[in-house]
Amino acid sequence: MFVDFQTLRFTRDHTWVRHRGDTLRVGLTDVLTRGLTDLVEVGLPPLGGDVHLLTPCGFLATRTWFGDLFAPMSGLVVERNERLFDDPGLVVRDPYDTGWLFEIRTTGDPLLDTLDGADYLELVSQVP
């Protein structure tokens, strides 16, 4: 899987965002998804609903673990990856393409507290 890290921004909790016109597409990095090999369910925020910076907006569930998804920024959910409801494993198998989560329209500078690709790769290279 080739990932152009120059086209993405990252949060320290392993979420990526990609500008798509006036929206931001949100997904999880492969660093986070590696441990989710038995992912059985993905819960996404409602279409047309608001998400708020660093607050829970969905969930991930494996056969033995449940965890919240946190919004990387505030905004209005304008699209969701409905394919994940039938095939949650896309998040693990293809996190940067078909495994994306949702898109939001945000105001202000949505990328203010994010890392560029080089800084993110440096961050994860320090993790044992």
Side-chain angles (χ1 to χ4, degrees), residues 36-43 59-66 84-92:
L36 300 175
T37 54
D38 60 343
L39 191 64
V40 295
E41 189 175 2
V42 175
F59 67 88
L60 301 170
T62 69
R63 294 190 196 322
T64 59
W65 174 85
F66 178 91
L84 300 180
F85 297 124
D86 293 328
D87 188 2
L90 286 173
V91 172
V92 177

Side-chain angles (χ1 to χ4, degrees), residues 44-52 55-57 71 73-80 102-106:
L44 299 174
L47 192 60
D50 288 319
V51 294
H52 301 281
T55 60
C57 64
M73 45 215 55
S74 298
L76 177 73
V77 178
V78 294
E79 191 164 343
R80 304 185 322 166
F102 56 91
E103 291 185 3
I104 58 175
R105 185 169 295 119
T106 186

